[in-house]
Amino acid sequence: MFYWANPYESFNDVIIEVQAMKISGGDDMQYGIVCRHLDVDNWYVLVISGDGYASIRKRFQGSELDYIADWVQDPSVNTGNSANELRAECVGSRLALYVNGDLAIEINDSDIPSGDVGLMAGTFDQASTEVLFDNFVVRMP
């Protein structure tokens, strides 16, 4: 289960930054930054997990939320209930996630060229999780 929120804006190339911290629930969860949210059937999300991994996912033309860059372990991710500085760069076809200043994962994909931004949190098998997001900044590259 996952939830996301967005401010109902539209951007082409964009850089999104946020401070995020899991405050409850187990580590089998994910949270991160949404970009190019065209509608509920078309968007990207760049995420980390509570146990130290990073991934990039895409929902395209109503498909499932698929992995376009599968989970990779990243030592830059502060695990557990520790804070992380996240920065997503959605510029041209390049989608990149930086965690605490270090590049965690990137991929090129041009299926969705523009859309809204936002935040997402979700769990895999556990019943719930809580994530605190702060200092959400959206800027042009």
Side-chain angles (χ1 to χ4, degrees), residues 95-129:
L95 307 172
L97 178 64
Y98 292 80
V99 180
N100 300 313
D102 296 325
L103 179 62
I105 195 165
E106 68 180 327
I107 196 163
N108 287 300
D109 189 293
S110 59
D111 285 337
I112 309 167
S114 65
D116 205 355
V117 297
L119 302 170
M120 190 275 282
T123 64
F124 295 105
D125 293 328
Q126 63 197 36
S128 67
T129 191

Side-chain angles (χ1 to χ4, degrees), residues 4 14-15 27 31 53 62 65 68 71 77 83 89 95 97 101 104-105 108 112 114-115 124 129 131 136:
W4 74 92
V14 68
I15 297 172
D27 289 338
Y31 60 95
Y53 289 79
L65 186 58
I68 58 172
W71 292 107
V77 176
E89 296 183 359
L95 307 172
L97 178 64
I105 195 165
N108 287 300
I112 309 167
S114 65
F124 295 105
T129 191
V131 177
F136 181 69

